[in-house]
Amino acid sequence: MSPMVARYTASLLMAHLACAVAVGVAGCTVEGIAILPGLDEGADGFGDDQDEGLGEGQGTGTDGANTDHDGGSNESDDAGSAMLDLPAPGDHEPLEQACVVADNILDAPLPCDVGPTSVTINPVVAWTWTGPAGEDSVIVTPLVGNLDDDNEDGIVDLCDRPDLVVLAVDLSANANKKDTFVPAGHIYVLDTKTGQTKWTFATPVDATATPALADLDGDGTAEILAFERSEESLGQVGERRVIAFEADGSVRWISDTWVWSDGGGGLAVADLDADGSPEILAPEHVLSADGQLLWAPANPPPADSVPIAADLDLDGELEVLFGRSVFAADGTELFELPLPGNKNLGVAAIANFDDDAFPEIYIQAAQHHIFEHDGQPKAHCGAAGGAGKGRPVSILDVDSDGQAELLAHHGTWFRATTIVNGQCAPLWSVKVNHDSTSAAIGFDFLADGSAETVLADLDWVRLYGAQGDAVAQIQRRARPSSANPVIADADNDGAAELIIVGSEPIGGYGELEDRASVIYVQNADDQFAPTRRIWNQHAYHVTNIREDATVPVEQEPHWQTAGSNSFRNNVAPGYQGPLCQSGPAD
């Protein structure tokens, strides 16, 4: 049994056990499936209209409501949710604990009505969203997290439904150009149940950089970080500074630190000094939780930087990777990976490719390289293709052999590569129709111990099996970008969803009718394996964030956590205990 399957099975059995010991208590059956108020025992938890839509495999189009960029209005009319009625005495914790993440763990309990996981992959489009007022292109990775009180109990917690955060931009003036001009865009918050716009952030932001989502101040609600660009900036080139938004789109603060950048990259969040107040890792510098400059590399990367925090040497303190340079938490440079060019440029990833306790550092600009945790060369995996810019990668054990594989582009080929005795050996390869800057991701959708790889092409998003066999595909329209697909339990139903974004192709839309900015995909029976209810940044690696969007004071090495020796992938929830929770009512 794979670590991911074991993790999921244990948490599900514990939730079912809680109901089994509560025979006769409202909301439970001995099988562990919660019967919600207003539903018969035979009900499946979905409305009739939703069942019909899934059965036919039809997506639900939306019109991009609330299109005036004024922000702040919440159009959701969801009813309150019913909680599982567990007995209070004995070993059971208070009921409200089912809605929160307990201390020293990352995840909250699963919904009570998690059904059996699908046995076949049959993805269907549940809904699509097209950005309003011409802002119909998404060229950065979307985010998932809880931003509002869906069940109207006065608390934003994990019994509410997560929200989808997308940064959309109008590329009509850039129809025949790849990089030369990208105007500012706007952040939209979408209802993951309906695909409708809930509210819009009024302040325009840099549409080339992936935002980050985290609870910076411990108030129970996440903030969203993005970049404001100077008025003199043209496209990607120019000055920009970090701006922090409250969940409702109001501005919390704007940093005083302007930096020159060619654009792109992504923001990240980590508690570098373990003091309970997280730091913000911008592509060119590090800020405090209130936006004050702490330190910056002496030669910041000009573009496309995605910094990462990880405890490389397992001494209990985080290091920070800016491209091929490694820094201590206070900004002291520790070492530089022996590669040519700007030492702070390049895209990194962290995972363990061998049997020791330490991780390896993947770094790529024009070539794919893997180094030991102390900077010693380990393997060279060939050319990346493209113009020397870093292409984000994903790392995952795709064939369940206990060893992580590298999922990366090699020009117009995409390969799953395993590392054996310091040598890179392709596990499988597929031809793609472009040299993409986006990352493939992976997930064990059927919880059968064999993960699927999700690869976004310009025209299709395809799911591949452990041996590179195509098992499903979803059509989309896009240009090359750093926007990778996202897998999360985005509606708190105990099953994973796949979120795909689209953008105006190079050359314009022409006669294309399918212009979806977001495509929200679930299995036909909506029973993909459970996963976490969050994806908070481009450099997501599970242990960097708790499900409630709080930042761990001490970030656990993700490569040592069961099922989490991966990078830019999601996993089965880690909660193992007696509680379960219903989630928001439909």
Side-chain angles (χ1 to χ4, degrees):
M1 180 180 292
S2 73
M4 180 175 181
V5 176
R7 194 179 187 194
Y8 160 57
T9 303
S11 60
L12 188 58
L13 286 175
M14 291 302 292
H16 284 189
L17 177 61
C19 284
V21 300
V23 176
V25 178
C28 285
T29 71
V30 292
E31 293 82 15
I33 304 300
I35 306 301
L36 303 181
L39 293 181
D40 296 330
E41 289 193 12
D44 60 6
F46 297 111
D48 292 339
D49 56 341
Q50 187 170 354
D51 274 341
E52 291 174 3
L54 289 177
E56 297 172 2
Q58 299 296 318
T60 303
T62 66
D63 59 3
N66 190 19
T67 62
D68 57 1
H69 301 310
D70 58 1
S73 65
N74 187 334
E75 300 174 6
S76 175
D77 58 358
D78 293 336
S81 67
M83 289 302 304
L84 185 66
D85 188 10
L86 293 175
D91 296 331
H92 296 289
E93 298 180 64
L95 189 60
E96 60 268 17
Q97 294 303 310
C99 298
V100 300
V101 180
D103 293 340
N104 301 317
I105 63 173
L106 294 174
D107 301 326
L110 287 166
C112 298
D113 54 355
V114 175
T117 299
S118 305
V119 296
T120 59
I121 293 177
N122 183 22
V124 296
V125 176
W127 53 260
T128 64
W129 176 84
T130 300
E135 292 191 334
D136 57 3
S137 291
V138 180
I139 56 174
V140 296
T141 299
L143 309 176
V144 175
N146 275 318
L147 298 181
D148 64 347
D149 180 20
D150 295 293
N151 62 11
E152 299 180 353
D153 65 354
I155 304 172
V156 178
D157 58 25
L158 287 165
C159 285
D160 296 305
R161 183 180 298 108
D163 300 289
L164 180 61
V165 178
V166 295
L167 171 48
V169 62
D170 181 356
L171 292 180
S172 58
N174 190 18
N176 295 304
K177 304 172 184 177
K178 182 177 180 181
D179 294 318
T180 54
F181 179 76
V182 177
H186 289 87
I187 292 173
Y188 297 85
V189 176
L190 308 186
D191 187 324
T192 55
K193 177 184 175 183
T194 66
Q196 296 289 330
T197 304
K198 297 175 81 170
W199 62 86
T200 305
F201 289 20
T203 304
V205 296
D206 184 353
T208 69
T210 297
L213 179 153
D215 184 354
L216 299 177
D217 55 6
D219 66 351
T221 305
E223 284 75 40
I224 296 171
L225 300 161
F227 277 109
E228 180 187 53
R229 294 214 304 233
S230 68
E231 294 181 1
E232 294 78 18
S233 295
L234 177 64
Q236 290 103 301
V237 180
E239 288 188 310
R240 61 184 185 179
R241 59 181 177 177
V242 176
I243 179 171
F245 295 97
E246 301 285 4
D248 63 3
S250 59
V251 175
R252 180 175 178 83
W253 52 255
I254 303 176
S255 174
D256 293 330
T257 303
W258 289 97
V259 293
W260 184 268
S261 174
D262 290 344
L267 290 146
V269 182
D271 193 346
L272 298 182
D273 52 7
D275 66 348
S277 179
E279 281 70 45
I280 298 162
L281 281 59
E284 302 88 6
H285 55 292
V286 175
L287 303 175
S288 65
D290 58 1
Q292 301 301 308
L293 177 65
L294 297 178
W295 57 271
N299 185 21
D304 301 313
S305 173
V306 183
I308 301 169
D311 183 5
L312 298 176
D313 54 6
L314 299 178
D315 66 349
E317 298 181 0
L318 295 178
E319 285 76 44
V320 180
L321 282 78
F322 277 94
R324 62 201 70 171
S325 296
V326 178
F327 297 84
D330 63 1
T332 302
E333 185 170 347
L334 299 178
F335 60 87
E336 176 187 340
L337 301 177
L339 293 172
N342 185 326
K343 64 182 182 180
N344 298 311
L345 181 62
V347 172
I350 304 294
N352 196 350
F353 289 102
D354 55 30
D355 294 331
D356 64 19
F358 297 97
E360 277 68 51
I361 303 170
Y362 165 87
I363 187 72
Q364 179 255 122
Q367 303 280 325
H368 297 287
H369 294 274
I370 296 176
F371 294 86
E372 300 286 359
H373 72 282
D374 58 1
Q376 297 302 309
K378 184 177 183 68
H380 173 235
C381 298
K389 290 185 178 180
R391 270 88 171 119
V393 302
S394 179
I395 300 172
L396 180 70
D397 181 6
V398 300
D399 56 358
S400 301
D401 65 350
Q403 298 293 321
E405 278 79 40
L406 176 68
L407 305 176
H409 286 271
H410 296 252
T412 56
W413 286 89
F414 176 83
R415 292 174 184 162
T417 300
T418 187
I419 314 301
V420 181
N421 297 323
Q423 300 295 317
C424 301
L427 185 65
W428 51 263
S429 302
V430 294
K431 185 76 171 177
V432 293
N433 71 353
H434 67 102
D435 181 13
S436 177
T437 55
S438 66
I441 59 173
F443 183 69
D444 186 355
F445 286 99
L446 303 181
D448 59 1
S450 180
E452 286 73 37
T453 298
V454 182
L455 174 61
D457 210 332
L458 297 185
D459 301 312
W460 297 92
V461 174
R462 292 185 172 92
L463 278 66
Y464 294 93
Q467 301 305 317
D469 50 312
V471 296
Q473 62 183 15
I474 302 102
Q475 193 169 24
R476 72 152 184 174
R477 296 289 185 266
R479 63 177 57 198
S481 77
S482 63
N484 55 264
V486 162
I487 294 168
D489 181 1
D491 54 8
N492 195 17
D493 65 350
E497 282 81 35
L498 170 62
I499 300 162
I500 302 164
V501 296
S503 54
E504 183 168 355
I506 302 297
Y509 283 110
E511 300 300 320
L512 294 176
E513 295 182 1
D514 182 6
R515 299 176 57 172
S517 311
V518 176
I519 304 171
Y520 188 88
V521 178
Q522 57 196 31
N523 215 24
D525 59 2
D526 197 18
Q527 292 294 327
F528 276 145
T531 189
R532 305 183 77 216
R533 289 158 282 201
I534 194 164
W535 187 296
N536 80 306
Q537 61 189 33
H538 199 296
Y540 174 81
H541 50 277
V542 180
T543 62
N544 67 285
I545 195 75
R546 303 168 86 214
E547 268 198 310
D548 60 3
T550 56
V551 179
V553 174
E554 296 181 356
Q555 179 178 306
E556 294 295 325
H558 62 275
W559 58 92
Q560 294 185 345
T561 304
S564 300
N565 184 23
S566 63
F567 201 88
R568 290 193 181 92
N569 296 291
N570 228 335
V571 299
Y575 173 81
Q576 297 185 26
L579 298 180
C580 61
Q581 48 110 327
S582 68
D586 286 331

